[in-house]
Amino acid sequence: MADLDKLTIEDKVRIISGLDTWHTVGVPAADVKSVLMSDGPHGLRLQVNEDGQTGDNLGFNGSAPATALPTGSALASTWNRELLAQTGNVIGREAAAHHVNVVLGPAVNIKRSPLGGRNFEYYSEDPYLVGELATAYINGLQAHQVGASIKHFALNNQETRRMNVNVHVDERTMHEIYLAGFKKAITTAKPWTVMTAYNRVNGEYASNSHLLLDILHKDWQYQGAVISDWTAVDDIIASLKAGLNIEMPGNQAVTPAIVKQALTDGSLTEAQLDAAIRPILRLAEQAATQAPTTAFDLAQQAQAAEAIASETTVLLKNDHQTLPLAADEKVLFIGEMLTKPRFQGGGSSHINAKYLTLIKPTLTATFSEANCQFLPGYQLDDTPDEQLIAEAVAAAKEVTKVVVFAGLPDKYESEGFDRKDIDLPSQQNRLISALAGVNNNVVVVLNNGAPVAMPWVDEVAAIIEAYLPGQAIGQVIPAILTGAINPSGKLAETFPRKLSDTPSYLNFPGTINDVYYGEGIYVGYRYYDAKAIAPLFAFGHGLSYTTFSYQDLVVTPNDSSLHVTATVKNTGQVAGKESIQFYVSDDSGQVTCPPKELKQFTKVSLEPGEAKQVTVEIPLADLAHYDVDAHAWQYTGGTHTIIMAASATDLRLRTTVTLPKIAKPALPVTIHTTIGQLLANEATKPTGMQIITGLAKAFGMDPNSDDSSSAGFDQATVLAMLNDLPIRALASFSAGAIGDTTVQTWIDQANDQIKSK
Ligand code: BGC
């Protein structure tokens, strides 16, 4: 590794801030390479040309031709770790060839509300799914010796005031929902860098948050470099002390002087600065070991993009097998989004796709001219146009089936702002209902990055959620429509019936400066389950042109995991792939928790009639909950139900296991400990009973009687009443009969009992 001692103070104060939009500062004299970074999660957005630099972080300027892969929502719908690894591979190959050292992805923030402007880029509402997919992506990318930058750490779950909103989140929710996916990916795939978020978390900017960066460095033992999101640094000195390593993009005109001044006035020590620099030197070293340029072929990359996109489509509804379409059927294809498809997201993840394929030419090549007709149906900007609707309705009366291409045009969702509602453009909704009024076989194909309301859901025969599938859109959507590809995507997020059903409805996007995560751990399906609210389409839902049966669920606990086996059979007529989900419901009664949580998943490919055994392991550690008293994850065992499911609302098989109970480590007894807490712990129970007796005596009751008459001591009632009484209240509660010395004796005695257990 480059030698820290070879860096002058001048070098040191410069290296912690970027050189420009995409480079870090290199120090050739000390063998420190300048590292080149580039967006983004769904394809390379390289903005550095031969002559230098044409960069911006919001996607306004052009970038080198690259492969546009499906965006986060679509990728997550594959429920396929292998395809996420291939996504990393495709991007890694291009990045290595362009000498890009770090790719700014994956983007893994939790989808707290369907309104989130960057939801198209993020994976899921579920931290387990996020962690698994992000791990696979990072491994795929870093196999090319290109570093990942997992982002945005953390709690960047909205775009409204993203640069300064203060997220108020409780400790358990933060760990179980918002950090768990990061933790999994960071500790197992070890991304070269972590990108801090713009927002504040419980009062501190994420880029100088001791809370967050302590978790990352101390608890998770992260050794890589922590970089800021572009212009996220509020106070460089506080950031360096908290564990940030590089401020991006560069602020060479200002930052070095600030750091120098801090060294002079002692608000930053050289040792602290050195500690911030070490990970930068490691990163530069990793970048320097990148293999020499490997050529890549965009045409070949396009094939990989198509293979990945082929598992992203979610068939939401398919009444009386309206789909797939037969080549000899008379079909009317409607919608401006057919000819001007939205296949990718905006902002920093916008790709210059060289091999974009279009839907219409593929359809024209598949169906005979006499059998297919194309009409616009609506204007893309939602201007009402009665004539377009009338024309479409008239044509729909003459055909067997109608396929409407609908969705959210670019301006509806992007980095930098959130949606205000979950509605499709109104003219699209009007068109779909009008068509359904005259034709029973209306199929809706949706291109959007996040859930939309579907007021016509019961009127149409079939619905395809195609999300933003990348450049292969023109190959994949027609193939799904005709059955050349059997859909195997499943939703990685809940589609609500209406916005007011969503968990964060009352707290999104918050007030002027603050947002309160009032729904706590009840995010996504955890909330719909707990409140028994029926979603429009559930988390994990997705149909196929075939059907699957689930059998023989067997769960065998061992020392470290639950070994789960089951059989899945293709019971239909065509080959297909099925994602199987394993949820666990913690019935131990030891912790308050959501009715069930995803703990594993797997995907199988089956020929018609074929059955396969699936096997997964659920580590016992994954059954732990975050204990705020201990400030740690704690696994406590007890009864758990393992549910094998096709979606969060299509639960097929279940079995219950009873795991050895592990007592939570007892906390020291203080004046704030309640009598109930003393009684609940076997060790301190005798002290608890002694206090009850003491109180009974103080009130002139007979502690041994269970007579409920006024003179007697109805133990059950008194115990229930005293359960939540803190020890500090004993003196006044007993009107002085129990004195402070007695109270202190009981506290000491209880603590001794804990120690000697
Ligand atoms: C985005 C990041 C992106 C960076 C560089 C920021 O505005 O939030 O996700 O990687 O710009 O383009």
Side-chain angles (χ1 to χ4, degrees), residues 22 39 45 56-58 104 118 121 151-152 156 162 195 198 229-230 348 415:
W22 304 117
D39 281 307
R45 189 175 71 95
D56 74 274
N57 67 310
L58 291 173
L104 306 176
R118 280 182 104 162
E121 210 171 331
K151 65 188 187 185
H152 308 88
N156 178 187
R162 67 170 168 160
M195 186 193 293
Y198 283 124
D229 198 347
W230 271 228
S348 60
E415 175 175 344

Side-chain angles (χ1 to χ4, degrees), residues 294-426:
T294 37
F296 72 94
D297 172 5
L298 271 180
Q300 242 171 42
Q301 297 276 86
Q303 286 173 16
E306 185 186 350
I308 295 163
S310 72
E311 295 193 22
T312 57
T313 317
V314 187
L315 179 62
L316 293 174
K317 174 176 178 174
N318 191 19
D319 284 357
H320 46 82
Q321 297 182 336
T322 304
L323 291 173
L325 306 172
D328 57 356
E329 270 177 318
K330 237 179 161 210
V331 186
L332 170 63
F333 296 100
I334 302 182
E336 273 292 86
M337 294 201 63
L338 163 63
T339 41
K340 300 187 186 87
R342 180 149 173 259
F343 64 97
Q344 65 165 331
S348 60
S349 73
H350 195 88
I351 310 301
N352 175 7
K354 174 129 187 276
Y355 280 81
L356 173 63
T357 58
L358 296 171
I359 304 169
K360 194 170 169 187
T362 319
L363 289 176
T364 323
T366 312
F367 294 86
S368 72
E369 211 178 305
N371 273 351
C372 73
Q373 190 187 348
F374 298 92
L375 289 172
Y378 55 84
Q379 292 192 23
L380 212 53
D381 66 3
D382 209 25
T383 307
D385 193 328
E386 295 312 317
Q387 207 190 322
L388 288 184
I389 295 189
E391 183 186 56
V393 167
K397 290 180 184 159
E398 309 302 322
V399 293
T400 332
K401 289 176 184 171
V402 179
V403 180
V404 195
F405 289 80
L408 298 175
D410 271 325
K411 68 172 190 183
Y412 283 75
E413 46 181 356
S414 168
E415 175 175 344
F417 60 88
D418 294 314
R419 285 191 295 164
K420 299 277 174 283
D421 56 50
I422 54 168
D423 300 334
L424 279 175
S426 61

Side-chain angles (χ1 to χ4, degrees), residues 166-246:
N166 186 14
V167 172
H168 297 264
V169 61
D170 69 83
E171 195 181 344
R172 177 175 175 197
T173 300
M174 180 167 83
H175 281 273
E176 289 195 9
I177 303 293
Y178 296 98
L179 295 186
F182 277 104
K183 181 180 181 188
K184 170 79 196 204
I186 289 172
T187 54
T188 54
K190 306 197 185 334
W192 290 11
T193 72
V194 171
M195 186 193 293
T196 59
Y198 283 124
N199 48 284
R200 286 178 284 170
V201 179
N202 293 333
E204 288 178 322
Y205 276 97
S207 58
N208 61 253
S209 161
H210 284 90
L211 173 68
L212 284 179
L213 298 176
D214 265 3
I215 293 170
L216 182 63
H217 292 297
K218 297 204 178 118
D219 298 355
W220 303 352
Q221 298 282 304
Y222 181 60
Q223 302 291 322
V226 181
I227 67 173
S228 74
D229 198 347
W230 271 228
T231 69
V233 169
D234 170 59
D235 174 343
I236 185 66
I237 304 303
S239 292
L240 293 174
K241 288 196 214 166
L244 183 94
N245 305 112
I246 310 172

Side-chain angles (χ1 to χ4, degrees), residues 675 691-692 694-696 698-699 701 718 721-738 743:
I675 296 178
I691 293 175
I692 299 280
L695 273 175
F699 286 116
M701 292 173 167
V718 173
M721 286 168 61
L722 295 181
N723 198 58
D724 290 339
L725 191 78
I727 295 178
R728 66 162 177 76
L730 287 176
S732 62
F733 197 72
S734 65
I738 299 173
V743 167

